[in-house]
Amino acid sequence: MRVVELEVRHVRVALRRKVTHASHVRTETDNVVVRCKLSDGSVGYGEGVPRDYVTGETIDFSFDLLKRSDVAKQLDTDAENFVQAVHLAERLKLASQASDDRGILGNAARCALELAVLDAFGRAFGEPLTRVAELVAPELYKFRDRVQYSGVIGNPRGWKKRLYPLVYRLAGFKQVKLKVGIEGQDDVKRTKTMRRWLGRKIDLRIDANEAWAPTDVADRIRELEPFGITSVEQPVRHEDVACLADVRKQVKTPIMLDESLCGMVDAERAARGGWCDLFNLRLSKCGGFIPSLRLAQYAKQHNLGYQLGCQVGETAILSAAGRHFAASVADIRYLEGSYDRHLVWESLAVDDLTFQRTGWAPALIGSGLGFALDPARLDWVTKRKETLLG
């Protein structure tokens, strides 16, 4: 069994609502989708979400990188079973960039390629992606038949400021993330309001998206600690991340890295420098399913925690991959994703993968990614496609 066709697409999906945080405002998303076909006819799909302000990637860069990386030669081998296919997927490398000392430029493209290969071979051998966690990181493997996602509150206006937290509270969500650091907003007032309407039982964490200056960050966090926040995600720009070693000594709240945690080089620097307590793992940002597993392993080895996050605008492809990761990896502190119906106009799936009203969602037990993609919908949102193999 081997790969006989590879195709890469640029898909543009409109969002159902404007998404605002301290780093960006978005009304649509431009994603990379890879289609992989095997010699037995099995077809798999993978997705990446390039973000130039996170890993320096654009759609055009992703296309060019995949074409320059000679992926056809890397995949020119037979896999006799799923174990061999997983090893094949882990070995995939895209062309290196001289200026990329973090080793992250191309992570979204690699994620799309890796997921497509794993999906195709998973379908061919009748294995779900949860099996990847068992094979790659057996010490982390713990299957659950359902998982519960957390809610996210961005920048609601007017009456929605009270509606959103109240809905999460009444629906039975256990965790909510609040975006802070948004220009023109009073973080103390907003966090106080959210806590009042969420109640005291819900786990509330905040995400500053690099908004705060190194000289202010400790004070900003301490102002919000009375409201029972459980973590602070990426409070400063990546360029200033080393200041967090000192900040951690001044605050009680655990610090999580996101934009500064995109690969193993970042993880090693963070652990060595004492910059954080938690990693935010996002499959596209971190280069795929297997690299994210390796980062979870590294965090565990260094007594750090981790959450599974997501990219704004993920379609059902990444939602399904995230579901498999969440259902098979132990000790995930917080879980984000599967916002499909709530966020994108076209999820690309035949069935709805959105989490249920309470945030709960079942594990996907079918082979590969475990869902059916709608080719007509994929064609509808495709802006460009090119053949890499076949």
Side-chain angles (χ1 to χ4, degrees):
M1 193 101 57
R2 66 170 55 210
V3 176
V4 294
E5 292 180 17
L6 274 178
E7 177 188 80
V8 58
R9 296 183 182 224
H10 166 198
V11 303
R12 179 171 294 159
V13 180
L15 304 182
R16 291 181 177 270
R17 55 184 173 84
K18 182 169 66 175
V19 175
T20 303
H21 58 68
S23 297
H24 206 79
V25 177
R26 185 172 299 282
T27 57
E28 61 185 13
T29 181
D30 292 284
N31 298 358
V32 175
V33 171
V34 172
R35 177 183 180 272
C36 174
K37 185 177 181 180
L38 304 183
S39 52
D40 75 332
S42 298
V43 174
Y45 291 91
E47 178 183 21
V49 185
R51 294 287 184 258
D52 57 356
Y53 54 90
V54 178
T55 57
E57 300 169 83
T58 64
I59 284 290
D60 288 341
F61 176 85
S62 296
F63 266 70
D64 180 63
L65 182 62
L66 285 167
K67 288 188 293 185
R68 289 190 292 110
S69 298
D70 199 8
V71 294
K73 183 176 180 179
Q74 295 183 59
L75 292 169
D76 186 21
T77 183
D78 287 314
E80 298 180 1
N81 52 56
F82 192 59
V83 173
Q84 291 182 6
V86 170
H87 290 320
L88 175 64
E90 184 167 19
R91 289 194 301 267
L92 290 171
K93 291 184 178 181
L94 301 190
S96 61
Q97 312 296 308
S99 61
D100 182 23
D101 70 314
R102 296 167 65 193
I104 64 172
L105 197 53
N107 276 2
R110 191 201 176 282
C111 178
L113 176 62
E114 181 211 66
L115 288 180
V117 170
L118 289 174
D119 185 28
F121 279 106
R123 294 177 188 276
F125 292 116
E127 296 278 11
L129 255 68
T130 49
R131 177 80 167 124
V132 178
E134 186 178 10
L135 293 170
V136 172
E139 75 280 15
L140 297 182
Y141 178 72
K142 183 180 180 181
F143 180 77
R144 293 173 295 284
D145 60 7
R146 65 173 189 161
V147 296
Q148 189 175 27
Y149 290 88
S150 67
V152 176
I153 299 176
N155 188 30
R157 305 282 182 155
W159 54 270
K160 293 181 180 180
K161 293 179 181 179
R162 294 175 176 81
L163 176 64
Y164 284 8
L166 187 59
V167 166
Y168 284 132
R169 180 179 180 177
L170 296 177
F173 278 74
K174 296 294 191 298
Q175 302 171 342
V176 169
K177 179 165 83 173
L178 174 65
K179 296 285 188 175
V180 297
I182 299 171
E183 187 176 355
Q185 296 291 332
D186 184 326
D187 288 333
V188 175
K189 184 177 180 180
R190 289 183 71 238
T191 307
K192 182 179 181 180
T193 299
M194 294 303 165
R195 173 54 80 191
R196 182 168 66 247
W197 287 92
L198 285 169
R200 282 286 168 185
K201 293 183 179 180
I202 289 182
D203 181 307
L204 176 63
R205 66 192 188 279
I206 61 173
D207 181 4
N209 286 110
E210 303 183 291
W212 296 333
T215 53
D216 299 335
V217 63
D219 289 338
R220 298 274 187 150
I221 294 172
R222 284 195 293 259
E223 288 178 335
L224 303 181
E225 286 183 333
F227 308 113
I229 57 174
T230 59
S231 74
V232 180
E233 186 177 331
Q234 197 69 39
V236 298
R237 297 183 309 160
H238 173 68
E239 292 79 2
D240 301 320
V241 71
C243 80
L244 295 178
D246 187 54
V247 170
R248 291 178 64 219
K249 301 173 184 177
Q250 302 176 52
V251 302
K252 299 176 183 178
T253 307
I255 304 294
M256 182 189 302
L257 294 187
D258 181 13
E259 287 85 351
S260 294
L261 196 284
C262 299
M264 191 57 73
V265 172
D266 285 348
E268 292 169 350
R269 290 173 178 173
R272 186 167 57 248
W275 298 344
C276 70
D277 304 278
L278 299 155
F279 292 168
N280 183 5
L281 308 178
R282 295 193 276 172
L283 300 185
S284 176
K285 178 195 72 168
C286 295
F289 199 97
I290 299 175
S292 297
L293 285 171
R294 296 302 187 196
L295 288 169
Q297 283 180 314
Y298 186 85
K300 197 76 170 177
Q301 292 162 3
H302 290 80
N303 298 313
L304 299 172
Y306 46 88
Q307 79 159 34
L308 180 65
C310 67
Q311 306 280 157
V312 172
E314 292 182 359
T315 74
I317 301 172
L318 274 169
S319 289
R323 184 80 56 81
H324 283 283
F325 194 99
S328 59
V329 177
D331 300 323
I332 295 175
R333 188 77 57 89
Y334 311 105
L335 176 59
E336 300 169 3
S338 285
Y339 297 113
D340 303 31
R341 187 179 66 251
H342 300 303
L343 190 56
V344 295
W345 282 106
E346 286 291 351
S347 73
L348 308 185
V350 174
D351 299 316
D352 185 10
L353 299 187
T354 312
F355 55 70
Q356 299 164 4
R357 192 174 68 91
T358 57
W360 287 100
L364 301 175
I365 58 176
S367 58
L369 284 172
F371 81 101
L373 185 137
D374 188 329
R377 292 180 181 177
L378 178 60
D379 288 339
W380 174 256
V381 297
T382 295
K383 310 299 292 183
R384 168 190 174 192
K385 62 182 177 180
E386 293 190 22
T387 298
L388 301 174
L389 171 64

